[in-house]
mmCIF file of all heavy atoms in Angstrom:
data_model
loop_
_atom_site.group_PDB
_atom_site.id
_atom_site.type_symbol
_atom_site.label_atom_id
_atom_site.label_comp_id
_atom_site.label_asym_id
_atom_site.label_seq_id
_atom_site.Cartn_x
_atom_site.Cartn_y
_atom_site.Cartn_z
ATOM 1 N N PHE A 170 29.244 -91.483 -2.155
ATOM 2 C CA PHE A 170 28.519 -92.529 -1.493
ATOM 3 C C PHE A 170 27.189 -91.972 -0.952
ATOM 4 O O PHE A 170 27.131 -90.795 -0.527
ATOM 5 C CB PHE A 170 29.296 -93.051 -0.253
ATOM 6 C CG PHE A 170 30.316 -94.098 -0.531
ATOM 7 C CD1 PHE A 170 31.608 -93.767 -0.928
ATOM 8 C CD2 PHE A 170 30.016 -95.452 -0.374
ATOM 9 C CE1 PHE A 170 32.567 -94.655 -1.135
ATOM 10 C CE2 PHE A 170 31.007 -96.383 -0.594
ATOM 11 C CZ PHE A 170 32.276 -96.045 -0.984
ATOM 12 N N PRO A 185 17.727 -75.976 -3.464
ATOM 13 C CA PRO A 185 17.121 -75.266 -4.582
ATOM 14 C C PRO A 185 17.084 -76.122 -5.850
ATOM 15 O O PRO A 185 18.138 -76.692 -6.222
ATOM 16 C CB PRO A 185 18.007 -74.059 -4.762
ATOM 17 C CG PRO A 185 18.697 -73.865 -3.447
ATOM 18 C CD PRO A 185 18.896 -75.255 -2.894
ATOM 19 N N ASP A 194 14.614 -85.745 -5.924
ATOM 20 C CA ASP A 194 14.981 -85.023 -7.105
ATOM 21 C C ASP A 194 15.824 -83.788 -6.720
ATOM 22 O O ASP A 194 16.710 -83.424 -7.490
ATOM 23 C CB ASP A 194 13.686 -84.484 -7.816
ATOM 24 C CG ASP A 194 12.910 -85.695 -8.324
ATOM 25 O OD1 ASP A 194 13.345 -86.450 -9.201
ATOM 26 O OD2 ASP A 194 11.745 -85.841 -7.802
ATOM 27 N N ARG A 195 15.586 -83.191 -5.576
ATOM 28 C CA ARG A 195 16.467 -82.084 -5.098
ATOM 29 C C ARG A 195 17.869 -82.622 -4.831
ATOM 30 O O ARG A 195 18.839 -81.906 -5.120
ATOM 31 C CB ARG A 195 15.831 -81.433 -3.868
ATOM 32 C CG ARG A 195 14.537 -80.681 -4.150
ATOM 33 C CD ARG A 195 13.872 -80.108 -2.941
ATOM 34 N NE ARG A 195 12.650 -79.430 -3.247
ATOM 35 C CZ ARG A 195 12.538 -78.167 -3.616
ATOM 36 N NH1 ARG A 195 13.634 -77.408 -3.688
ATOM 37 N NH2 ARG A 195 11.377 -77.609 -3.886
ATOM 38 N N TRP A 241 26.101 -100.558 -3.126
ATOM 39 C CA TRP A 241 27.188 -100.993 -2.323
ATOM 40 C C TRP A 241 26.660 -101.568 -1.014
ATOM 41 O O TRP A 241 25.566 -101.292 -0.575
ATOM 42 C CB TRP A 241 28.219 -99.896 -2.073
ATOM 43 C CG TRP A 241 27.773 -98.821 -1.124
ATOM 44 C CD1 TRP A 241 27.070 -97.680 -1.448
ATOM 45 C CD2 TRP A 241 28.007 -98.691 0.299
ATOM 46 N NE1 TRP A 241 26.846 -96.947 -0.354
ATOM 47 C CE2 TRP A 241 27.494 -97.536 0.789
ATOM 48 C CE3 TRP A 241 28.723 -99.546 1.175
ATOM 49 C CZ2 TRP A 241 27.528 -97.097 2.108
ATOM 50 C CZ3 TRP A 241 28.801 -99.162 2.518
ATOM 51 C CH2 TRP A 241 28.190 -97.947 2.995
ATOM 52 N N THR A 249 29.165 -115.033 4.810
ATOM 53 C CA THR A 249 29.433 -114.632 3.422
ATOM 54 C C THR A 249 28.289 -115.066 2.430
ATOM 55 O O THR A 249 28.028 -114.332 1.516
ATOM 56 C CB THR A 249 30.736 -115.243 2.930
ATOM 57 O OG1 THR A 249 30.623 -116.649 3.042
ATOM 58 C CG2 THR A 249 31.893 -114.760 3.811
ATOM 59 N N LEU A 255 22.431 -110.975 -0.372
ATOM 60 C CA LEU A 255 21.941 -109.613 -0.256
ATOM 61 C C LEU A 255 22.418 -108.743 -1.433
ATOM 62 O O LEU A 255 21.607 -107.959 -2.016
ATOM 63 C CB LEU A 255 22.391 -108.945 1.045
ATOM 64 C CG LEU A 255 21.586 -109.309 2.282
ATOM 65 C CD1 LEU A 255 22.313 -108.762 3.555
ATOM 66 C CD2 LEU A 255 20.200 -108.742 2.225
ATOM 67 N N GLY A 279 29.948 -104.076 15.177
ATOM 68 C CA GLY A 279 29.040 -105.015 15.750
ATOM 69 C C GLY A 279 29.642 -105.984 16.781
ATOM 70 O O GLY A 279 29.118 -107.071 17.041
ATOM 71 N N ILE A 294 34.137 -113.376 -3.803
ATOM 72 C CA ILE A 294 34.356 -112.535 -4.966
ATOM 73 C C ILE A 294 33.924 -113.261 -6.219
ATOM 74 O O ILE A 294 33.294 -112.652 -7.128
ATOM 75 C CB ILE A 294 35.800 -112.058 -5.070
ATOM 76 C CG1 ILE A 294 36.159 -111.219 -3.842
ATOM 77 C CG2 ILE A 294 36.062 -111.293 -6.366
ATOM 78 C CD1 ILE A 294 35.347 -109.949 -3.653
ATOM 79 N N TYR A 322 44.290 -110.882 9.807
ATOM 80 C CA TYR A 322 43.523 -109.965 8.933
ATOM 81 C C TYR A 322 44.416 -109.484 7.810
ATOM 82 O O TYR A 322 44.792 -108.287 7.771
ATOM 83 C CB TYR A 322 42.962 -108.836 9.793
ATOM 84 C CG TYR A 322 42.290 -109.277 11.054
ATOM 85 C CD1 TYR A 322 42.955 -109.172 12.284
ATOM 86 C CD2 TYR A 322 41.040 -109.874 11.044
ATOM 87 C CE1 TYR A 322 42.369 -109.624 13.445
ATOM 88 C CE2 TYR A 322 40.455 -110.283 12.207
ATOM 89 C CZ TYR A 322 41.133 -110.171 13.387
ATOM 90 O OH TYR A 322 40.527 -110.617 14.542
ATOM 91 N N LEU A 327 44.825 -110.639 0.752
ATOM 92 C CA LEU A 327 43.443 -110.880 0.300
ATOM 93 C C LEU A 327 43.154 -110.074 -0.940
ATOM 94 O O LEU A 327 42.576 -110.571 -1.897
ATOM 95 C CB LEU A 327 42.472 -110.551 1.412
ATOM 96 C CG LEU A 327 42.383 -111.480 2.592
ATOM 97 C CD1 LEU A 327 41.534 -110.899 3.720
ATOM 98 C CD2 LEU A 327 41.910 -112.852 2.211
ATOM 99 N N VAL A 335 38.278 -107.864 -10.238
ATOM 100 C CA VAL A 335 37.486 -106.635 -10.025
ATOM 101 C C VAL A 335 37.923 -105.605 -11.005
ATOM 102 O O VAL A 335 39.044 -105.638 -11.482
ATOM 103 C CB VAL A 335 37.643 -106.109 -8.553
ATOM 104 C CG1 VAL A 335 37.150 -107.128 -7.561
ATOM 105 C CG2 VAL A 335 39.105 -105.765 -8.258
ATOM 106 N N ALA A 336 37.003 -104.679 -11.300
ATOM 107 C CA ALA A 336 37.310 -103.593 -12.267
ATOM 108 C C ALA A 336 38.183 -102.580 -11.589
ATOM 109 O O ALA A 336 39.031 -101.965 -12.281
ATOM 110 C CB ALA A 336 36.032 -102.971 -12.782
ATOM 111 N N LYS A 349 50.912 -89.165 8.789
ATOM 112 C CA LYS A 349 51.676 -89.031 10.041
ATOM 113 C C LYS A 349 52.689 -90.123 10.107
ATOM 114 O O LYS A 349 52.894 -90.865 9.134
ATOM 115 C CB LYS A 349 50.768 -89.041 11.275
ATOM 116 C CG LYS A 349 49.849 -90.214 11.398
ATOM 117 C CD LYS A 349 48.996 -90.149 12.665
ATOM 118 C CE LYS A 349 48.232 -88.858 12.797
ATOM 119 N NZ LYS A 349 47.331 -88.860 13.987
ATOM 120 N N ASP A 362 58.557 -85.805 0.804
ATOM 121 C CA ASP A 362 57.800 -86.013 -0.411
ATOM 122 C C ASP A 362 56.295 -86.001 -0.184
ATOM 123 O O ASP A 362 55.513 -85.723 -1.103
ATOM 124 C CB ASP A 362 58.193 -87.352 -1.072
ATOM 125 C CG ASP A 362 59.647 -87.401 -1.499
ATOM 126 O OD1 ASP A 362 60.161 -86.368 -1.950
ATOM 127 O OD2 ASP A 362 60.281 -88.469 -1.231
ATOM 128 N N GLN A 402 37.636 -81.070 13.779
ATOM 129 C CA GLN A 402 36.352 -80.395 13.813
ATOM 130 C C GLN A 402 35.916 -80.076 12.340
ATOM 131 O O GLN A 402 36.723 -79.996 11.432
ATOM 132 C CB GLN A 402 36.395 -79.169 14.695
ATOM 133 C CG GLN A 402 37.352 -78.093 14.180
ATOM 134 C CD GLN A 402 37.516 -77.007 15.240
ATOM 135 O OE1 GLN A 402 37.630 -77.267 16.431
ATOM 136 N NE2 GLN A 402 37.569 -75.768 14.774
ATOM 137 N N PHE A 417 45.028 -80.641 -5.619
ATOM 138 C CA PHE A 417 45.316 -81.956 -6.164
ATOM 139 C C PHE A 417 45.448 -81.926 -7.663
ATOM 140 O O PHE A 417 44.706 -81.288 -8.366
ATOM 141 C CB PHE A 417 44.143 -82.989 -5.821
ATOM 142 C CG PHE A 417 44.428 -84.340 -6.233
ATOM 143 C CD1 PHE A 417 45.393 -85.140 -5.609
ATOM 144 C CD2 PHE A 417 43.758 -84.939 -7.283
ATOM 145 C CE1 PHE A 417 45.649 -86.457 -5.983
ATOM 146 C CE2 PHE A 417 43.982 -86.276 -7.683
ATOM 147 C CZ PHE A 417 44.933 -87.010 -7.037
ATOM 148 N N PHE A 459 40.638 -87.194 -15.582
ATOM 149 C CA PHE A 459 40.747 -88.533 -14.977
ATOM 150 C C PHE A 459 41.358 -89.498 -15.995
ATOM 151 O O PHE A 459 41.240 -89.287 -17.232
ATOM 152 C CB PHE A 459 39.394 -89.100 -14.577
ATOM 153 C CG PHE A 459 38.731 -88.375 -13.403
ATOM 154 C CD1 PHE A 459 37.805 -87.378 -13.567
ATOM 155 C CD2 PHE A 459 39.132 -88.670 -12.081
ATOM 156 C CE1 PHE A 459 37.186 -86.727 -12.532
ATOM 157 C CE2 PHE A 459 38.539 -88.030 -11.030
ATOM 158 C CZ PHE A 459 37.576 -87.043 -11.246
ATOM 159 N N SER A 461 41.596 -92.739 -18.296
ATOM 160 C CA SER A 461 40.617 -93.487 -19.033
ATOM 161 C C SER A 461 40.538 -94.907 -18.493
ATOM 162 O O SER A 461 41.537 -95.417 -17.983
ATOM 163 C CB SER A 461 40.883 -93.470 -20.500
ATOM 164 O OG SER A 461 42.204 -94.052 -20.766
#
Side-chain angles (χ1 to χ4, degrees):
F170 276 86
D194 298 296
R195 291 177 183 273
W241 72 275
T249 59
L255 279 172
I294 297 300
Y322 313 101
L327 289 171
V335 298
K349 55 178 56 175
D362 299 320
Q402 64 190 41
F417 184 72
F459 292 98
S461 59

